[in-house]
């Protein structure tokens, strides 16, 4: 597999939105979408990609995954990490996450749904630790969430 990671470009917005929407429908069917497909596509094109911090994973000239990161005050954030359902388990998500972990200063935080056991195992395998649990009242989907943090330990230290 020839995997290329690069910054997202304005012309990638449709494919990035496709990855986000297909992944959400497949893996997060218990979490109702808070926005319509058209709203998500508009957000990706006008807010997410122009904000910077978005990386796409490309295999055979097709976008297979996306990662969005940001920095708020003294904390780095993984805001989005989604893959097309058919490529989960091929190491693409790990490569995207490792890119973020190498580029972002610690601590690095992210939220996922408590019910998303696959995602939780994935992040824990990469050294993230749950630091807070929410009841979902503060997020659009109204699903219980968990806040994870990576403090910057090396793989050998884990």
């Amino acid at each position: 597999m020839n995997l290329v990671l690069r910054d997202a470009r304005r012309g990638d917005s449709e494919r990035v939105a496709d990855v986000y929407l297909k992944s959400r429908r497949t893996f997060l069917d218990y979490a109702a979408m808070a926005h319509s497909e058209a709203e998500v596509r508009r957000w990706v094109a006008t807010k997410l990609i122009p904000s910077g911090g978005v990386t796409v994973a490309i295999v055979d000239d097709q976008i297979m995954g996306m990662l969005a990161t940001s920095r708020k005050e003294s904390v780095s954030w993984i805001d989005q990490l989604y893959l097309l359902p058919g490529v989960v388990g091929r190491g693409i998500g790990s490569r995207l996450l490792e890119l973020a972990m190498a580029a972002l200063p610690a601590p690095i935080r992210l939220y996922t749904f408590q019910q998303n056991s696959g995602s939780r195992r994935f992040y824990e395998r990469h050294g993230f630790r749950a630091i807070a649990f929410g009841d979902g009242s503060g997020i659009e989907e109204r699903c219980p969430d968990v806040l994870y943090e990576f403090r910057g330990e090396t793989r050998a230290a884990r």
Side-chain angles (χ1 to χ4, degrees):
M1 171 177 65
N2 183 23
L3 175 65
V4 174
L5 303 179
R6 67 160 170 79
D7 292 342
R9 302 173 185 144
R10 191 170 294 278
D12 295 330
S13 66
E14 281 300 310
R15 289 295 298 146
V16 169
D18 287 343
V19 169
Y20 177 88
L21 290 163
K22 288 176 183 177
S23 185
R24 286 287 312 249
R25 283 187 205 115
T26 301
F27 299 116
L28 305 175
D29 59 344
Y30 53 84
M33 293 285 291
H35 302 279
S36 70
E37 181 175 324
E39 290 171 324
V40 168
R41 290 184 182 283
R42 188 169 32 260
W43 166 73
V44 169
T46 64
K47 300 276 192 237
L48 185 67
I49 291 177
S51 72
V54 179
T55 301
V56 292
I58 300 171
V59 177
D60 298 328
D61 296 320
Q62 298 295 316
I63 295 176
M64 301 292 179
M66 56 86 75
L67 164 76
T69 63
S70 62
R71 183 114 173 113
K72 297 174 186 96
E73 298 176 12
S74 60
V75 177
S76 299
W77 287 92
I78 294 175
D79 300 312
Q80 316 287 333
L81 198 167
Y82 288 98
L83 302 176
L84 287 176
V87 300
V88 170
R90 295 187 189 174
I92 296 170
S94 291
R95 289 280 305 278
L96 285 167
L97 185 59
E98 289 164 0
L99 175 75
M101 292 166 67
L104 297 171
I108 304 169
R109 292 183 180 169
L110 62 89
Y111 281 98
T112 193
F113 297 118
Q114 289 183 30
Q115 192 173 339
N116 192 346
S117 58
S119 175
R120 293 182 64 187
R121 282 191 307 272
F122 171 76
Y123 290 120
E124 289 169 7
R125 198 169 52 245
H126 285 87
F128 283 77
R129 300 292 173 245
I131 61 170
F133 292 83
D135 63 6
S137 62
I139 60 174
E140 294 176 324
E141 293 89 350
R142 301 289 186 228
C143 289
D145 58 354
V146 56
L147 174 62
Y148 276 92
E149 183 175 76
F150 177 75
R151 300 285 311 161
E153 304 89 12
T154 64
R155 287 189 185 276
R158 287 188 237 147

